[in-house]
Amino acid sequence: IYLYDSPEVRRSDYVFTVSGDSMEPEFYDGDMVLVKKGGDMDYGDIGAFIIGNETYIKEYAEDGLHSLNKKYPTMTFCEEEKVFSIGKVVSVLDPELIATETDAKNYVAVHGE
């Protein structure tokens, strides 16, 4: 994915697509979110996490990972389970920031990436 320049894009490293309604009303199914890799997470931060072979967008809390939609239970883990923090969610990606196919091709032609 190629994105036009913006402060949010410059602060982020990854783009993930939200799947499902567990993070509504802040993040909706199909939203694309910008994520800044690494860094310390504070309780209350929204982050991207890898659990098993799945990536989740959740609120980091002392007792586990929370969904914003209250119909979902808190995700808790035992010591044997591996949970990796990818980073903090910066914002929902504005669709206007997704580069057109023509602009992306022109960028690659000029910059060779």
Side-chain angles (χ1 to χ4, degrees):
I1 186 170
Y2 286 91
L3 304 175
Y4 296 119
D5 189 34
S6 78
E8 293 83 11
V9 169
R10 283 192 299 275
R11 289 193 337 254
S12 61
D13 298 295
Y14 304 111
V15 177
F16 291 100
T17 302
V18 175
S19 179
D21 66 350
S22 69
M23 291 304 286
E24 290 181 5
E26 192 167 339
F27 305 98
Y28 291 88
D29 185 47
D31 280 351
M32 297 177 89
V33 294
L34 297 167
V35 175
K36 174 72 178 158
K37 72 178 175 178
D40 293 330
M41 299 273 302
D42 295 319
Y43 296 139
D45 286 343
I46 305 294
F49 301 90
I50 296 175
I51 304 161
N53 292 328
E54 300 288 330
T55 302
Y56 295 87
I57 304 297
K58 297 291 178 194
E59 178 184 8
Y60 175 63
E62 188 171 5
D63 64 340
L65 300 179
H66 289 217
S67 297
L68 298 180
N69 185 334
K70 298 303 179 197
K71 76 178 186 181
Y72 292 91
T74 298
M75 297 174 75
T76 58
F77 309 95
C78 65
E79 287 188 31
E80 292 81 33
E81 293 177 283
K82 297 198 185 305
V83 178
F84 299 97
S85 170
I86 298 169
K88 293 180 188 179
V89 172
V90 173
S91 68
V92 173
L93 176 62
D94 180 346
E96 299 274 321
L97 292 174
I98 300 172
T100 65
E101 186 175 336
T102 300
D103 285 349
K105 285 180 181 178
N106 290 339
Y107 180 89
V108 170
V110 171
H111 297 282
E113 295 181 10

